[in-house]
Amino acid sequence: MVKQLLDRRLPRSFYERDSVTEVARNLVGTLLCTYKDDELTVGRITETEAYSGRNDKACHANNNLRTPRTEAMYGPPGHAYVYLCYGIHHLFNVVTNRKGLADAVLIRSIEPVHGVRIIANRRNVKRVEPNTVNGPGKLTRALGIDLNDNRTDLTGEELWISEDRSVFIGDIDTSKRIGVDYSGEDAHKLWRFTQDGNKWLSR
DNA sequence: CCTACGATCTGCT
DNA sequence: GCAGATCGTAGGG
């Protein structure tokens, strides 16, 4: 199981494209995997959001803001950017485009496909339901992702994303990003991508 | 040093 | 529907 998923890992070139919205769109339907302490958990990505390092006030790296926190976004593509939100939640992004440009895709929701018992334990629930994993802070907890994963290479063997051909690109909806009202006109960008009709979404 | 706040979630009303 | 949690980050003095 682990080997099959590792064999299908998305290559660096997937993340390296210059359109962060295209990467965000194409990540819907892929499999987000963690293999830690001999425990494999996998979730199909159902919802993503694109953030651009240039000309996007919703992005942490907007206006070339370069700080210890945002440094991961300025790093090479195909690496993780994990940060702490509201002092409680870990939010997971994948860095895209070329090094130095700070484009990234936030993963907002998943549909569990493997390791359901482990996910239930990590979330402290008996049954795994949509509201167990349908949010950026919930899914990181469910998959065991935290600040230790910041800057992790996603072509490695602990945290990665695998290809899967189960979602057609035409079945992906676009909408406004969540929780970025502070960013003025950039809040209207249709940079949220969801799998049409999937019940494992954040809203 | 000090302060304000956030790409959210939960529990309570 | 709403307040509180909780702490690293950013920005200003």
Side-chain angles (χ1 to χ4, degrees), chain A residues 92-146:
Chain A
F92 169 73
N93 301 250
V94 305
V95 177
T96 74
N97 209 330
R98 296 201 313 279
K99 182 181 178 183
L101 296 183
D103 285 353
V105 176
L106 171 69
I107 309 303
R108 284 195 57 90
S109 192
I110 60 169
E111 173 180 353
V113 299
H114 196 83
V116 173
R117 175 165 275 151
I118 300 164
I119 288 173
N121 283 340
R122 288 192 183 129
R123 291 285 286 129
N124 205 19
V125 296
K126 280 195 169 150
R127 289 193 176 281
V128 172
E129 297 168 5
N131 72 5
T132 311
V133 290
N134 67 346
K138 297 178 189 177
L139 74 89
T140 52
R141 176 163 278 255
L143 298 182
I145 297 170
D146 60 27

Side-chain angles (χ1 to χ4, degrees), chain A residues 66-79:
Chain A
R66 199 151 181 161
T67 66
R69 179 178 68 156
T70 62
E71 200 56 28
M73 296 184 82
Y74 288 92
H79 288 245

